[in-house]
């Protein structure tokens, strides 16, 4: 029980840290030794205001200084990452080190997409370099892989040109990069899961929140689909 709580709360802390980095990075405010501030009044936050989950609910979702309502994404990101850590802990035998680091980068990308609908190219390049390093070139049909990358890239570019309000350039780049990590035979299933999750979320937001916007952060669903495929397929 103690180990379970430790793993869960460690995940909550990582989620809080990554969401904070994502918010600062996408707003061009991130530097290594920056202290956490309120997004509204810019007042420095004390350590007891940064406790994952706990601080948010004690403060009733508001800043202690300016009383501005905080985004629910703060505690949702903490809760989700905590649950993700817990799930990965109990299924660790199915996940390799390659998968775990890839999921870490995808999680940071997802939070960037949620914050500002933008993902830094630096993260995409880091993921590409990592997967190229880990790729089993001798155990794969390289020509077939390159053909699929070229074909999917042309299709993605064409789809982006005609319906750029449905899918973003960062989504297409990420899907191309993940072809290095997902076997070709599993890629259609991976795309189906990602699209299904995105559609369900969009219809849920329309029904529950009356949100009519077509602006959907798709990278979180790509990332979740990757995790599902790695774990269960």
């Amino acid at each position: 029980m103690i180990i379970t709580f430790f793993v869960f709360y460690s995940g909550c802390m990582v989620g809080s840290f990554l969401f904070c980095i994502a918010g600062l990075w996408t707003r061009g405010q991130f530097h290594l030794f920056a202290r956490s501030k309120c997004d509204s009044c810019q007042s420095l936050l004390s350590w007891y205001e940064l406790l994952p989950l706990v601080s948010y609910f004690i403060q009733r979702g508001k800043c202690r200084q300016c009383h501005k309502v905080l985004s629910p994404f703060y505690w949702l990101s903490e809760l989700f990452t905590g649950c993700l850590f817990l799930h990965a802990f109990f299924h660790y035998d199915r996940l390799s080190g390659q998968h775990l680091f890839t999921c870490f980068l995808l999680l940071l990308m997802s939070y960037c997409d949620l914050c500002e609908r933008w993902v830094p190219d630096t993260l995409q390049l880091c993921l590409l370099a990592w997967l190229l390093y880990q790729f089993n070139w001798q155990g794969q049909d390289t020509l077939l892989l390159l053909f699929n990358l070229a074909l999917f890239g042309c299709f993605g570019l064409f789809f982006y040109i005609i319906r750029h309000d449905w899918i973003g350039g960062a989504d297409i780049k990420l899907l191309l990069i993940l072809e290095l990590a997902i076997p070709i035979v599993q890629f259609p299933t991976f795309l189906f899961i990602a699209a299904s999750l995105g559609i369900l979320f969009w219809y849920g937001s329309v029904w529950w929140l009356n949100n009519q916007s077509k602006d959907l952060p798709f990278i979180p669903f790509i990332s979740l689909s990757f995790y599902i495929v790695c774990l269960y397929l």
Side-chain angles (χ1 to χ4, degrees), residues 9-27 30 36 50 52 73-82 84-85 100-116 118 120 123 223:
Y9 206 70
S10 296
C12 292
M13 290 190 287
V14 171
S16 178
F17 178 68
L18 290 182
F19 194 80
C20 179
I21 288 179
L24 293 174
W25 197 341
T26 52
R27 293 193 297 268
F30 174 72
S36 298
L50 298 173
F73 279 120
Y74 282 105
W75 73 268
L76 286 173
S77 63
E78 293 166 358
L79 178 63
F80 174 77
T81 313
L84 189 64
F85 265 53
L100 292 174
F101 187 71
T102 302
C103 288
F104 177 82
L105 290 175
L106 289 174
L107 193 60
L108 182 53
M109 289 185 194
S110 299
Y111 289 157
C112 287
D113 198 22
L114 285 171
C115 287
E116 296 291 337
W118 174 71
L123 290 176
S223 304

Side-chain angles (χ1 to χ4, degrees), residues 123-135 177 180:
L123 290 176
Q124 301 265 23
L125 290 173
C126 285
L127 181 60
L128 176 60
W130 169 251
L131 292 181
L132 284 172
Y133 173 73
Q134 293 289 328
F135 189 72
I177 292 170
L180 295 170

